[in-house]
Amino acid sequence: MDAFALLTGGAKFDRRRYRKDIDAFNPKTVTAVAAYEAQLAATRRAGGQNAGEGELNGAAGSNGSGAKAKKRRCLATARHSSEVRDVDNGDADITLFARHRDGEVEDQDDSDFSQDNGHAGSLNCGESDEGSDYEAIKENAGSDGEGTNDSEEDGDEENHEEEEDEDLKESIKGDISTWDSEGEDGREDVVAMEARRNGTNTATTSGRLMGLGPLVDGVIPKVKTNDPFEEANLIRKALRIKVTGTDVPPPLKSFAELVTRYKVSRRLMAALRPAGFSSPTPIQRQAIPALMAGRELLAVAPTGSGKTLAFLIPLLAGLLALRARGDWPEGVKALVVSPTHELAAQQARVIKLLLPGTGLRACLLSKATATGSDFTKVDLLLANPLRLVNLVEEGKVALGQCRYVVLDEADKLFELGFVEQVDALLAVAQHHEVVRALFSATLPERVEDLARSVLQQPLRITVGMRNAAASNVRQRLQFVGREAGKLLALRQLLADGGLAPPVLVFVGSKERAKALHRELLYDGIHVDSITAGQPLSARNAAVENFRAGHTWVLIATDLIGRGMDFIGVNTVVNYDFPRSTADYVHRIGRTGRAGRTGDAVTFFTEEDAPCLRPIANQIKTAGGEVPDWMLALRRDKRVAKRRKLSERIGAAADFEVEEAQGGGNGQSKERVGARGPRSRGTALDAERKGKEGNRGARQGRVRGRS
Ligand SMILES: Nc1ncnc2c1ncn2[C@@H]1O[C@H](COP(=O)(O)OP(=O)(O)OP(=O)(O)O)[C@@H](O)[C@H]1O
């Protein structure tokens, strides 16, 4: 099947039908369809003429006539004259984007990560291991391995989605107050700090956050009370921090308090300001003191609100405190587990800012570091579950001395394909002082119940509304008729300037990513794609090129739907409808980060209609406009259920290894597939399937293993 057929569901494009569909919903689009079809034909012809010149040259050679064609060509060519011909630097689009890019897109070079002086604090990321480093997960991700509980589970998931939907509806009715911060004199908010970091003085330091609300704002209100308890509550209320649990430590008023209240090394704190972190975000204000006090945590805060630092600071501070009191055994003493290599690598970027001068040694687990490192010399390990489980089984990594275990994107890690490995890791990280924490922007109740079964008296910290999309992302839904309409709609938006680059486009599978990539190359757009099927070196390059602003449209699967901090992303396009509300929240959270604004466009077809309502509710909750009929849509449970099952298989496949490309990892798939049912640590898995007894019994069993 060729790329166009794949993207259009295999059917021949029926123009009349498409027009009819579009007409019913979006008359404006109809007028552009004819022009688009002409362009499509022109670019296809031009692409064909240039076929021998390599993909990018071929794309640039597609010199369609007319203003739109010129615009597309220019988008593709700025600053890439070596790769693409026909540079037209005089074009307004280029100037605009160049200015934006200079101002907002991070342009850091990670290539010099490896091996600093150990005494000064080091981060070992190993060499690039092309074609061999993947997160492998259970082969048969869509089934539970025992073929039993799928339907039951599906029922559960549906119910939970319904519940979440109801929650959201309630909140729509309620008053979602936007806190109007007056700020505190001399304090910088996140936006101002980022602006200063990037050399753009667009934001003020007065604490006025352009109406973005408090969720990512680092500024706390002036509180007039002498009662510390009341003060803590007032701060939490203003910042929409909710905490459940007992003996809750008060939120931080500033990073400086870490030195005065918690005796955190000044050296570590000194690294924060130059790195651009001058005042804590709300999740940092509450999660840092909680972890410093040794409390286990479930932490839920919006995408882009600074969760990474919320766990990295206490981990590093905790390690320094351990060392200061002479409790310094060999080996890994802090572990951060993430679902993808990309996310772990991103955490490594942040750690790299904080390590110098601490004498701590951190390691990003990859194939290279897995084989070449002495893990008795590693204090803090950043890892994906599978590779780490293998090392633990081989006896190369010991977690018995681990004092901190953080699960980032915890709800993903508790899904099929990961939960077995996470369980096995928790089962061996059983030091009597271990502190475990789960972080995510979304935490469904069923995951929370599961997590609570292995955590001890955890605090639950929620910033803003649970499971809701970031409020500073402008969201909209766009009806595209049927499958074929997506490509036309995307082309139209790109050509009309309806999508501000950098743009992240999410699709449902790696095959579709590849196909769309090929299609957009015809349009002369500087496009790239990233999926689990690519070699790690290609994935790293895709991420770095996007960060650096070299790639303007990045097509991705849900592999990078979570956690990735591309600070300058302006637009997210859900080309394929997200598999779940949580996926939607995470995907669109790749824009609108750290207090910025962003746009998210979600294409939907007739087939997506049964799953439309929860997303429509999300948009409505965030203050967006959605027609009433969408909110009133009834969910077709049968369709949703069927879809859910296939989507779960697909979701896991996003992270899956292709054995042929897995190099040295070829055996992993088989082993993990076998590991699930007979794993030492399957209490979580069993819990997930609802087969276990009461919580106490489960907890005893998990804790009993070591
Ligand atoms: N205290 C702070 N001051 C200024 N910028 C900050 C602060 N904390 C975090 N940031 C910036 O905010 C951005 C988002 O942070 P981070 O990636 O930790 O978000 P997150 O909450 O983990 O998002 P996600 O849920 O998508 O993973 C980053 O660019 C980070 O550098």
Side-chain angles (χ1 to χ4, degrees):
M1 199 184 282
D2 71 14
F4 190 79
L6 181 67
L7 291 168
T8 54
K12 209 166 164 277
F13 181 55
D14 180 345
R15 182 173 143 177
R16 236 180 296 164
R17 170 78 200 268
Y18 174 75
R19 283 190 167 196
K20 209 168 130 234
D21 289 338
I22 289 287
D23 211 10
F25 288 87
N26 187 355
K28 196 172 160 229
T29 312
V30 179
T31 57
V33 169
Y36 239 84
E37 283 168 351
Q39 277 178 18
L40 182 64
T43 49
R44 278 177 173 285
R45 273 199 304 277
Q49 280 159 18
N50 289 295
E53 297 180 18
E55 286 187 321
L56 276 174
N57 283 346
S62 58
N63 296 336
S65 59
K68 284 180 184 168
K70 180 166 179 262
K71 199 170 183 178
R72 288 207 307 276
R73 187 175 68 242
C74 294
L75 266 172
T77 52
R79 290 176 57 165
H80 292 284
S81 52
S82 60
E83 289 175 309
V84 185
R85 296 172 190 167
D86 274 330
V87 178
D88 179 359
N89 285 319
D91 190 279
D93 280 322
I94 296 172
T95 322
L96 261 180
F97 181 45
R99 192 169 59 228
H100 157 82
R101 184 175 51 223
D102 290 338
E104 292 195 355
V105 176
E106 283 194 341
D107 194 352
Q108 276 178 273
D109 181 7
D110 281 353
S111 54
D112 61 347
F113 257 11
S114 59
Q115 316 283 2
D116 290 340
N117 168 356
H119 214 64
S122 69
L123 176 60
N124 179 7
C125 297
E127 301 298 314
S128 142
D129 45 354
E130 179 161 0
S132 56
D133 184 12
Y134 296 90
E135 302 81 57
I137 64 164
K138 187 175 168 186
E139 183 175 10
N140 219 351
S143 90
D144 61 11
E146 295 174 13
T148 49
N149 244 349
D150 268 351
S151 58
E152 222 177 285
E153 235 180 45
D154 266 8
D156 280 356
E157 287 187 23
E158 262 179 51
N159 290 340
H160 282 295
E161 282 228 347
E162 293 282 339
E163 278 167 25
E164 279 169 25
D165 205 17
E166 289 307 314
D167 283 354
L168 279 167
K169 264 206 207 141
E170 276 304 307
S171 66
I172 293 168
K173 284 189 221 145
D175 172 27
I176 308 163
S177 60
T178 358
W179 179 63
D180 188 13
S181 160
E182 285 176 16
E184 284 197 5
D185 292 346
R187 288 226 176 98
E188 273 184 307
D189 58 61
V190 177
V191 174
M193 179 49 76
E194 270 299 332
R196 197 160 63 79
R197 196 149 50 134
N198 291 322
T200 53
N201 289 315
T202 51
T204 68
T205 57
S206 67
R208 289 196 302 119
L209 274 181
M210 299 171 286
L212 294 179
L215 300 188
V216 291
D217 173 10
V219 184
I220 58 171
K222 284 175 186 151
V223 175
K224 291 188 183 108
T225 172
N226 292 324
D227 178 354
F229 187 74
E230 192 188 352
E231 183 187 42
N233 276 341
L234 286 170
I235 292 173
R236 286 193 200 105
K237 196 169 172 212
L239 300 182
R240 295 179 63 197
I241 301 171
K242 273 176 253 142
V243 191
T244 53
T246 51
D247 297 331
V248 185
L252 287 179
K253 282 188 244 164
S254 69
F255 279 136
E257 237 186 302
L258 285 171
V259 179
T260 53
R261 202 163 107 196
Y262 292 98
K263 311 291 175 233
V264 172
S265 140
R266 284 177 190 278
R267 202 169 260 186
L268 176 59
M269 290 299 99
L272 291 178
R273 190 170 276 273
F277 310 125
S278 68
S279 62
T281 63
I283 187 62
Q284 291 162 5
R285 286 184 193 281
Q286 189 61 72
I288 292 174
L291 282 169
M292 296 294 297
R295 299 301 301 272
E296 300 212 312
L297 272 195
L298 292 156
V300 188
T303 51
S305 64
K307 292 186 286 296
T308 312
L309 216 54
F311 58 77
L312 285 183
I313 290 177
L315 256 57
L316 295 175
L319 289 180
L320 291 175
L322 275 183
R323 195 178 59 189
R325 71 172 201 234
D327 181 4
W328 201 239
E330 278 197 333
V332 177
K333 289 167 281 293
L335 169 67
V336 180
V337 183
S338 317
T340 64
H341 174 83
E342 280 72 11
L343 191 45
Q346 182 175 279
Q347 289 154 359
R349 287 164 61 94
V350 182
I351 287 209
K352 194 186 166 197
L353 300 171
L354 306 180
L355 272 193
T358 62
L360 296 173
R361 292 156 304 186
C363 176
L364 167 63
L365 195 58
S366 66
K367 191 185 177 212
T369 56
T371 50
S373 303
D374 175 359
F375 289 97
T376 61
K377 305 257 182 304
V378 170
D379 305 318
L380 190 155
L381 186 61
L382 306 168
N384 310 125
L386 173 67
R387 194 177 293 280
L388 182 56
V389 167
N390 287 341
L391 288 180
V392 169
E393 285 191 342
E394 289 162 15
K396 290 186 179 156
V397 175
L399 295 178
Q401 288 296 341
C402 202
R403 312 300 170 84
Y404 296 94
V405 178
V406 172
L407 305 182
D408 196 12
E409 306 299 342
D411 50 335
K412 175 55 85 181
L413 289 174
F414 276 61
E415 278 179 9
L416 274 175
F418 285 118
V419 71
E420 302 86 351
Q421 296 131 38
V422 170
D423 192 22
L425 293 174
L426 291 178
V428 291
Q430 291 283 323
H431 190 274
H432 65 279
E433 282 184 7
V434 71
V435 175
R436 290 158 299 193
L438 277 62
F439 281 78
S440 185
T442 50
L443 196 68
E445 272 171 32
R446 66 184 182 285
V447 175
E448 178 169 343
D449 288 347
L450 184 49
R452 280 181 185 278
S453 73
V454 291
L455 297 180
Q456 274 189 336
Q457 296 180 333
L459 291 179
R460 188 182 80 189
I461 302 172
T462 313
V463 177
M465 199 170 40
R466 199 169 136 129
N467 301 327
S471 58
N472 42 334
V473 179
R474 289 177 294 264
Q475 306 166 54
R476 68 189 163 90
L477 285 157
Q478 181 164 339
F479 181 67
V480 291
R482 288 174 302 128
E483 199 53 43
K486 291 180 180 176
L487 192 54
L488 292 174
L490 183 65
R491 285 197 153 115
Q492 181 183 343
L493 285 169
L494 286 168
D496 286 352
L499 299 178
V503 182
L504 201 46
V505 180
F506 283 105
V507 293
S509 70
K510 48 195 169 197
E511 291 76 23
R512 288 176 65 76
K514 215 164 153 186
L516 185 59
H517 186 169
R518 220 173 298 143
E519 278 297 323
L520 291 188
L521 280 172
Y522 278 127
D523 294 6
I525 290 163
H526 236 245
V527 62
D528 201 353
S529 57
I530 178 166
T531 66
Q534 297 166 342
L536 186 68
S537 57
R539 279 158 57 173
N540 286 342
V543 168
E544 289 315 311
N545 283 332
F546 195 52
R547 275 196 206 290
H550 300 153
T551 300
W552 297 9
V553 176
L554 182 63
I555 302 162
T557 59
D558 285 302
L559 176 76
I560 59 157
R562 281 170 176 259
M564 292 306 288
D565 185 44
F566 300 116
I567 201 100
V569 170
N570 276 321
T571 318
V572 169
V573 177
N574 286 317
Y575 187 91
D576 290 335
F577 208 73
R579 295 181 171 110
S580 64
T581 318
D583 280 356
Y584 175 77
V585 168
H586 287 276
R587 278 180 178 190
I588 70 163
R590 295 320 96 209
T591 183
R593 299 181 70 74
R596 288 181 170 72
T597 52
D599 288 284
V601 186
T602 300
F603 292 165
F604 72 99
T605 62
E606 286 164 357
E607 281 189 7
D608 298 319
C611 303
L612 200 56
R613 197 186 62 191
I615 307 294
N617 275 334
Q618 283 283 351
I619 297 175
K620 179 91 177 164
T621 306
E625 282 183 16
V626 279
D628 288 342
W629 65 262
M630 275 189 198
L631 299 170
L633 274 174
R634 288 196 70 80
R635 193 175 158 89
D636 182 334
K637 292 201 171 173
R638 273 173 317 162
V639 175
K641 194 167 171 175
R642 258 203 317 274
R643 196 175 164 125
K644 195 109 218 159
L645 184 62
S646 68
E647 283 167 355
R648 281 169 51 212
I649 297 168
D654 286 340
F655 299 89
E656 200 173 14
V657 121
E658 282 177 2
E659 206 168 334
Q661 291 173 299
N665 221 7
Q667 58 174 340
S668 302
K669 213 172 168 186
E670 199 186 331
R671 290 180 55 206
V672 172
R675 179 178 294 119
R678 64 166 174 82
S679 166
R680 294 157 302 160
T682 53
L684 293 177
D685 196 29
E687 165 76 8
R688 183 183 56 74
K689 292 171 189 166
K691 289 178 179 173
E692 286 289 300
N694 64 44
R695 181 172 296 174
R698 281 192 305 268
Q699 194 158 331
R701 205 158 31 249
V702 171
R703 292 197 172 277
R705 284 189 304 263
S706 59

